[in-house]
Amino acid sequence: MSLVLTSLALIGLMTLPLICLAAFFRRRFFRVTVIGNSMRPTYTPGDRLLARRSDLNNLERGQAVVIKQPIGPSPRAADHGVGPFAIRWGNRRLARSSQPNVPRSRMGHLAVKRVVALPGDPLPQEIQKAFSHTLPERIPRGRFAVLGDNSEGSVDSRVYGLVPEDAVRGVIIRRLP
């Protein structure tokens, strides 16, 4: 009986550090699977990526990031089909774009995009051109701009404007096998 209890205690002592280590990695890292074509040729549908949880303060231009996409066009604008529509992050209206409506099936999901401008950087021309009104010349504090690597097939800051800092979920570290 004593040998059984000793064995169980030893297994428990060996398992506890593994559980703690797994919990640490789960809080720090997560996995995403690419669905669309917006990051072609860098990432293609089906690619599994490892991401490190992060925030705006730790982003760098050129990094591929995981963001939560906006909820979508305002209901009033969505009824009109194509044309100018308002983008909302939660209850805040952020921007009005002349790009066509974003498919509702993609709204509120995670997306992989490339950081092109951080707070204090000049607003990229390709983003400014997409909007019917004037955006600030520089990226304001608490916002950043993203673009997909496949500019023709990407829903990004040219459609939904500047991304708020609370939309950052993480930074892509590498492709998984």
Side-chain angles (χ1 to χ4, degrees):
M1 184 72 166
S2 170
L3 181 61
V4 171
L5 289 176
T6 304
S7 297
L8 288 175
L10 186 59
I11 290 171
L13 287 174
M14 290 180 1
T15 306
L16 184 61
L18 292 176
I19 291 171
C20 292
L21 188 61
F24 168 78
F25 278 106
R26 183 134 174 105
R27 280 192 221 182
R28 186 122 167 97
F29 301 98
F30 63 101
R31 181 180 57 95
V32 294
T33 302
V34 177
I35 296 173
N37 292 308
S38 70
M39 288 299 288
R40 273 189 188 271
T42 309
Y43 303 118
T44 57
D47 283 352
R48 294 174 344 145
L49 309 173
L50 179 64
R52 178 179 31 82
R53 295 186 194 284
S54 188
D55 58 22
L56 180 59
N57 297 326
N58 297 312
L59 298 185
E60 296 176 13
R61 279 175 293 296
Q63 284 182 316
V65 296
V66 180
I67 61 168
K68 183 169 176 150
Q69 291 199 125
I71 293 172
S74 66
R76 182 175 41 114
D79 294 338
H80 296 99
V82 185
F85 63 97
I87 296 293
R88 296 179 182 275
W89 293 84
N91 292 325
R92 297 173 290 166
R93 180 170 170 219
L94 289 185
R96 195 169 165 77
S97 171
S98 57
Q99 299 293 320
N101 285 338
V102 180
R104 286 185 183 272
S105 63
R106 299 288 175 131
M107 291 304 162
H109 290 255
L110 297 181
V112 177
K113 303 293 176 192
R114 186 144 333 264
V115 175
V116 294
L118 293 166
D121 291 347
L123 183 70
Q125 280 298 116
E126 55 196 307
I127 296 171
Q128 178 63 50
K129 286 185 219 173
F131 287 85
S132 56
H133 68 285
T134 305
L135 291 175
E137 288 183 20
R138 297 212 169 264
I139 306 292
R141 186 176 52 216
R143 306 264 182 210
F144 64 105
V146 295
L147 293 174
D149 289 355
N150 175 7
S151 62
E152 293 178 11
S154 180
V155 174
D156 49 37
S157 287
R158 292 169 298 161
V159 175
Y160 46 69
L162 301 177
V163 181
E165 65 183 315
D166 62 356
V168 177
R169 294 297 181 261
V171 175
I172 299 299
I173 297 173
R174 62 174 296 194
R175 184 179 282 118
L176 294 171

